[in-house]
Amino acid sequence: MTIKSYPFVPYMPVSYSEEEMEEQARQFYTFMDRRRSVRQFSHKPVSREIIENVLLTASTAPSGAHKQPWTFCVVSNPALKKQIREAAEKEEYESYQHRMSQEWLEDLAPLGTDWQKPFLEVAPWLIVVFKKAYERKPDGSKRNNYYVSESVGLACGFLISAIHQAGLVTLTHTPSPMNFLTKLLARLENERPFLLLPVGYAADEVQVPDLQRKPLEEVSEWYT
Ligand code: IYR
């Protein structure tokens, strides 16, 4: 078997002066620090073009052996959103009533979440992210993917940042178990549901818990 290499081309890094770089880093932090998970959405529509661009941004994430082992299923169909909501709430009800530990429920209590997920119908778009454990070639043979969860997690981080940058809001919803999404979206056996992101405008006068982020001293150790 001949192993082909990509052609290599010059890379032009973004070029800033040291001062500009400091300003860029500071401004980006300030901008990202404004992002919050929002659970109440407006019905206001969002154009398909915006969603296409945030997905293209997500797909720029690095991935194991550049396999891009993700599929973004994009749902705006109201009947399908309703089905997703009903199935998610059924699982969430079970989880909140019986499956989550007392400790878990206590940890979530300050956030005010519960089994009800109206945002699954209200948000104009749902992006359901699937991770591809492996690829199926047209001849039916399997081809491996690598660091699949890491890669898809990175893509989701890029996606959330792009949604924030567009001026929209989202939240990382993880109904558990998530296999109802495989069925409802008719995905193949090599795809596993990873994360569900409702996307849209925040509801008017939405409130979020007054969380504090850990200071740098708590999240970093320096070995200079
Ligand atoms: N999947 C549930 C529970 C939940 C779990 C964690 I960890 C959160 O940070 C938030 C919620 C839900 O979506 O409500």
Side-chain angles (χ1 to χ4, degrees):
M1 191 179 80
T2 49
I3 297 172
K4 283 209 192 107
S5 151
Y6 291 110
F8 276 62
V9 292
Y11 177 63
M12 295 295 179
V14 180
S15 159
Y16 293 124
S17 70
E18 220 169 293
E19 245 176 34
E20 286 168 334
M21 202 178 270
E22 280 163 10
E23 184 63 10
Q24 287 289 332
R26 198 187 55 74
Q27 279 185 10
F28 191 60
Y29 161 56
T30 306
F31 173 73
M32 290 302 284
D33 196 34
R34 279 182 66 178
R35 187 206 57 80
R36 296 299 308 269
S37 290
V38 167
R39 291 181 165 78
Q40 283 94 41
F41 286 75
S42 154
H43 282 99
K44 190 172 170 180
V46 169
S47 77
R48 179 181 169 129
E49 196 196 343
I50 294 171
I51 302 303
E52 287 176 355
N53 277 307
V54 296
L55 292 178
L56 286 168
T57 302
S59 216
T60 67
S63 60
H66 189 52
K67 295 281 189 167
Q68 299 181 261
W70 42 69
T71 307
F72 303 104
C73 292
V74 190
V75 182
S76 65
N77 179 296
L80 189 51
K81 286 198 296 184
K82 186 166 191 280
Q83 281 183 298
I84 291 174
R85 176 185 177 178
E86 282 168 1
E89 286 185 333
K90 196 164 162 240
E91 294 296 358
E92 292 291 82
Y93 183 83
E94 275 308 302
S95 293
Y96 277 85
Q97 294 294 316
H98 307 296
R99 295 196 283 237
M100 286 151 79
S101 66
Q102 197 50 38
E103 183 182 3
W104 194 349
L105 292 170
E106 279 167 23
D107 281 338
L108 281 182
L111 298 172
T113 62
D114 61 28
W115 63 271
Q116 295 180 80
K117 307 294 170 193
F119 54 74
L120 293 174
E121 277 191 272
V122 177
W125 297 98
L126 305 180
I127 301 176
V128 187
V129 184
F130 284 82
K131 64 176 184 183
K132 294 167 94 173
Y134 54 90
E135 302 289 335
R136 268 260 182 240
K137 297 274 135 198
D139 67 2
S141 63
K142 283 186 185 180
R143 194 84 197 176
N144 213 4
N145 287 334
Y146 310 94
Y147 298 100
V148 170
S149 294
E150 291 85 346
S151 302
V152 182
L154 286 162
C156 288
F158 279 38
L159 179 56
I160 292 164
S161 306
I163 291 165
H164 177 56
Q165 214 269 341
L168 297 169
V169 297
T170 186
L171 83 123
T172 48
H173 179 43
T174 48
S176 172
M178 290 209 265
N179 37 8
F180 67 90
L181 292 164
T182 308
K183 263 206 194 137
L184 285 177
L185 300 171
R187 303 317 304 164
L188 300 175
E189 95 292 350
N190 63 329
E191 295 175 307
R192 306 263 185 285
F194 186 78
L195 195 60
L196 196 170
L197 296 146
V199 183
Y201 290 86
D204 286 342
E205 294 174 39
V206 72
Q207 295 203 326
V208 293
D210 187 16
L211 306 180
Q212 302 306 314
R213 294 190 161 112
K214 288 180 180 174
L216 192 56
E217 299 74 60
E218 230 182 290
V219 297
S220 62
E221 297 284 349
W222 299 63
Y223 305 81
T224 54

